């Protein structure tokens, strides 16, 4: 039976997804949205491991079971591809509707831009940039952001195809794990250094993602993240180790920025390697995935002991998938309803967007939870009336 994941993991996911939402709110305060990635951001230095940590937790939560390879893949497809298709349709329809309502004076031009945005996302931004698409008209950033986020789901699914095949071997021997991880990182380095740091459908980062997932699955065997903290010595030791891990991350980011001008080192924004250090970013992203997850998980082992704060972050972490997929919709709504898509407060405008977007996300998740619980209760009541045992979720 699979071990129940810790509350610290959920709290860590809560902190990370709020940070992701904030970063996208910050992107909305730039006239040129790409400038937000090229400009140095302290968030990038403190939490460059946000995406890598999500991949780490996916591998860490793996538990060997009796399912066949096909059954594991079918289950992962249900978890990832169905939500991806749903989010694609809903995001396109809602954001397009808001754009058309906002640009009511030029509906035909807006429709063209929306169509360009969907095609731009379907072919992936790197490929679109390579071929100079669109030739005419423009794109709508909010649509591209919402649909571009789906790279995380299809990248995770593709990597899972290899993960479920390799993990049974890498989990047996440390030497096998090290050999496979090194080969994967060298492959990612070659892709990023000699082919491109931002390839179609983010293929350059797949080997890094797979390496992180396989390493996390192996570390799970030794309870890497949740070793018992019993004595004061244990507490101090874990605290020092976590601070050292975060210190290495911040130090590396600052060194890479001041020496090479690297602004996104180790952060994999949209799966992209840093434009300055290229393939070397594969090794940095892998290291940050391990160090960063250890740091934030250890921090959250303390945070969950704070009653209200811990429970709130755990709740957000449990709903992190919904937050991730649908926050661009509410960000677009906030931008139109409050500022008419104008930048009036500079970078401080992000701090107006953030509580509005988070509030709308919380209300949406509460509504979804209520609907799910109501449906579950009705099924249970029907099962009791029919004299049948209720089906397990």
């Amino acid at each position: 039976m699979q071990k129940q994941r810790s509350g610290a993991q959920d709290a860590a996911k809560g902190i990370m997804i709020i940070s992701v939402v904030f970063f996208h709110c910050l992107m909305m305060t730039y006239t040129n949205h790409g400038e937000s990635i090229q400009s140095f951001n302290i968030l990038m230095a403190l939490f460059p491991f946000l995406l890598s940590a999500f991949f780490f937790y996916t591998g860490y939560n793996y538990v060997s079971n009796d399912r066949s390879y096909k059954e594991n893949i079918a289950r992962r497809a249900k978890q990832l591809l169905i939500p991806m298709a749903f989010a694609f349709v809903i995001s396109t329809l809602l954001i397009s509707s808001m754009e058309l309502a906002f640009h009511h004076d030029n509906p035909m031009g807006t429709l063209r831009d929306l169509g360009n945005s969907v095609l731009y996302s379907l072919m992936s931004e790197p490929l679109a940039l390579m071929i100079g698409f669109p030739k005419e008209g423009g794109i709508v950033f909010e649509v591209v952001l919402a649909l571009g986020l789906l790279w995380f789901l299809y990248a995770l699914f593709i990597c899972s195809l290899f993960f479920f095949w390799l993990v049974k071997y890498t989990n047996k021997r440390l030497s096998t794990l090290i050999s496979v991880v090194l080969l994967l990182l060298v492959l990612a380095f070659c892709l990023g250094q000699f082919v491109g740091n931002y390839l179609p459908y983010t293929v350059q980062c797949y080997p890094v993602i797979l390496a992180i997932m396989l390493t996390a699955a192996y570390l799970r065997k030794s309870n890497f993240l949740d070793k018992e903290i019993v004595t004061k010595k244990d507490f101090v030791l874990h605290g020092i180790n976590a601070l050292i891990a975060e210190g290495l991350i911040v130090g590396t980011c600052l060194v890479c920025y001041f020496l090479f001008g690297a602004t996104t080192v180790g952060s994999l924004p949209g799966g992209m390697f840093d434009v300055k250090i290229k393939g070397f970013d594969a090794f940095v992203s892998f290291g940050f995935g391990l160090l960063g997850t250890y740091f934030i998980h250890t921090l959250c082992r303390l945070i969950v002991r704070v009653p209200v704060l811990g429970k709130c972050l755990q709740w957000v972490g449990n709903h992190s998938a919904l937050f991730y997929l649908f926050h661009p919709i509410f960000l677009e709504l906030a931008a139109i309803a409050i500022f008419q898509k104008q930048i009036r407060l500079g970078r401080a405008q992000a701090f107006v967007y953030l509580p509005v977007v988070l509030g709308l996300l919380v209300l949406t998740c509460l509504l979804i939870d209520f609907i799910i619980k109501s449906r579950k209760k009705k099924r249970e009541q029907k099962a009791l009336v029919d004299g049948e045992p209720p089906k397990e979720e």
Side-chain angles (χ1 to χ4, degrees):
M1 182 178 292
Q2 182 172 343
K3 181 180 177 181
Q4 187 178 8
R5 72 189 191 192
S6 67
Q9 181 177 152
D10 291 326
K13 288 182 176 180
I15 291 176
M16 293 189 297
I17 197 59
I18 291 173
S19 299
V20 169
V21 173
F22 174 74
F23 178 71
H24 290 148
C25 289
L26 191 62
M27 288 182 73
M28 288 289 287
T29 67
Y30 287 80
T31 304
N32 176 9
H33 300 297
E35 184 186 346
S36 62
I37 294 178
Q38 301 307 323
S39 303
F40 184 72
N41 188 313
I42 192 61
L43 184 63
M44 287 289 194
L46 293 174
F47 299 116
F49 52 82
L50 295 177
L51 294 175
S52 297
F54 278 109
F55 291 123
F56 186 99
Y57 277 130
T58 300
Y60 193 78
N61 291 334
Y62 168 78
V63 176
S64 180
N65 50 55
D66 296 329
R67 298 190 191 96
S68 66
Y69 175 80
K70 289 184 178 179
E71 289 172 336
N72 278 321
I73 294 302
R75 189 166 182 265
R76 187 55 58 88
K78 183 178 179 181
Q79 292 172 336
L80 299 175
L81 299 186
I82 293 177
M84 184 178 74
F86 177 77
F88 185 95
V89 173
I90 294 298
S91 297
T92 301
L93 290 176
L94 292 181
I95 295 178
S96 297
S97 299
M98 286 187 279
E99 283 292 323
L100 287 169
F102 181 71
H103 295 287
H104 57 84
D105 56 329
N106 185 23
M108 295 309 296
T110 304
L111 277 173
R112 179 198 59 201
D113 293 347
L114 291 169
N116 284 342
S117 303
V118 174
L119 291 174
Y120 186 94
S121 302
L122 284 172
M123 67 175 64
S124 81
E125 184 175 65
L127 180 57
L129 294 174
M130 287 179 186
I131 66 175
F133 180 87
K135 300 295 183 183
E136 296 182 4
I139 59 171
V140 179
F141 169 74
E142 290 78 10
V143 174
V144 173
L145 173 62
L147 302 184
L149 290 176
L150 301 179
W151 81 269
F152 183 93
L153 297 180
Y154 65 71
L156 183 55
F157 177 74
I158 292 171
C159 291
S160 295
L161 297 176
F162 298 93
F163 174 80
F164 287 118
W165 171 52
L166 290 171
V167 70
K168 59 184 177 182
Y169 301 109
T170 57
N171 263 9
K172 288 181 180 179
R173 291 184 180 180
L174 179 60
S175 58
T176 303
L177 173 71
I178 293 174
S179 300
V180 171
V181 167
L182 285 176
L183 285 172
L184 289 169
L185 293 180
V186 169
L187 174 60
F189 167 79
C190 291
L191 286 172
Q193 193 71 19
F194 305 115
V195 183
N197 68 302
Y198 194 31
L199 299 176
Y201 304 102
T202 68
V203 296
Q204 76 286 335
C205 72
Y206 293 175
V208 179
I209 295 171
L210 184 55
I212 291 173
M213 291 171 63
L214 291 171
T215 303
Y218 186 88
L219 291 174
R220 168 67 179 264
K221 300 196 305 178
S222 62
N223 204 28
F224 172 68
L225 293 177
D226 293 297
K227 293 184 183 296
E228 288 190 5
I229 299 179
V230 179
T231 65
K232 185 177 180 180
K233 182 180 178 181
D234 294 334
F235 176 83
V236 172
L237 182 62
H238 281 281
I240 292 175
N241 288 341
L243 291 175
I244 291 174
E246 177 66 0
L248 289 171
I249 290 171
V250 174
T252 301
C253 288
L254 293 177
V255 168
C256 288
Y257 173 66
F258 287 111
L259 288 184
F260 310 111
T263 56
T264 60
V265 60
S267 59
L268 297 179
M272 177 174 60
F273 289 156
D274 187 89
V275 68
K276 298 295 184 180
I277 65 173
K278 299 180 180 178
F280 291 99
D281 206 20
F283 299 102
V284 179
S285 298
F286 174 79
F288 281 8
L290 275 60
L291 293 172
T293 309
Y294 177 78
F295 164 72
I296 198 163
H297 190 92
T298 303
L299 175 65
C300 286
R301 293 181 72 180
L302 299 177
I303 290 177
V304 293
R305 298 187 181 187
V306 181
V308 177
L309 179 61
K311 290 296 182 182
C312 288
L313 287 175
Q314 287 178 67
W315 186 89
V316 173
N318 277 320
H319 296 81
S320 58
L322 292 173
F323 273 54
Y324 183 75
L325 289 176
F326 296 121
H327 72 269
I329 296 174
F330 296 126
L331 183 53
E332 163 81 336
L333 178 61
I336 292 175
I338 302 175
F339 296 105
Q340 289 75 52
K341 298 191 73 169
Q342 295 179 13
I343 302 171
R344 298 176 179 175
L345 302 176
R347 303 293 169 261
Q349 198 158 306
F351 294 95
V352 178
Y353 287 141
L354 184 63
V356 174
V357 174
L358 291 179
L360 291 172
L361 284 167
V362 168
L363 291 175
T364 301
C365 291
L366 288 172
L367 177 61
I368 292 173
D369 286 348
F370 175 77
I371 293 172
I372 292 174
K373 288 179 180 178
S374 297
R375 292 182 62 184
K376 182 179 179 181
K377 186 176 181 180
K378 287 181 180 179
R379 285 197 300 268
E380 291 175 347
Q381 290 174 343
K382 186 177 183 300
L384 289 173
V385 171
D386 295 340
E388 299 176 359
K391 295 181 179 180
E392 293 184 3
E393 295 290 330

